[in-house]
Amino acid sequence: MLKVEILGTGCKKCHQLEANVQEALTTLKLDAEVTQITDPIAIAQRGVMKTPALAINGKVVSKGQVLPPDQIQKLV
């Protein structure tokens, strides 16, 4: 199963990124486990210094930006 993680403190941009991820997954008709990681230490351990960040199957694919759904679809 696809595992998607939103890394961030839970700010407005983090919530927007999560909404965009959900929209991209719906468009692609994919099931995925989508989780938010809000612990600053866990985020830093992944080498992320700018949030929000997006990780797919454990690999960080975006840092410091809210990707639109179409770009997320390409990454998935």
Side-chain angles (χ1 to χ4, degrees), residues 26-62:
T26 300
T27 301
L28 294 172
K29 297 180 179 153
L30 291 175
D31 280 333
E33 177 186 341
V34 180
T35 57
Q36 276 202 351
I37 298 177
T38 58
D39 178 28
I41 294 170
I43 294 169
Q45 286 175 336
R46 293 181 179 225
V48 174
M49 296 298 156
K50 289 186 177 183
T51 60
L54 178 65
I56 299 174
N57 291 333
K59 180 182 178 189
V60 177
V61 295
S62 170

Side-chain angles (χ1 to χ4, degrees), residues 61-74:
V61 295
S62 170
K63 298 177 188 175
Q65 59 183 334
V66 178
L67 295 177
D70 63 325
Q71 284 187 342
I72 296 168
Q73 289 175 27
K74 292 174 186 173

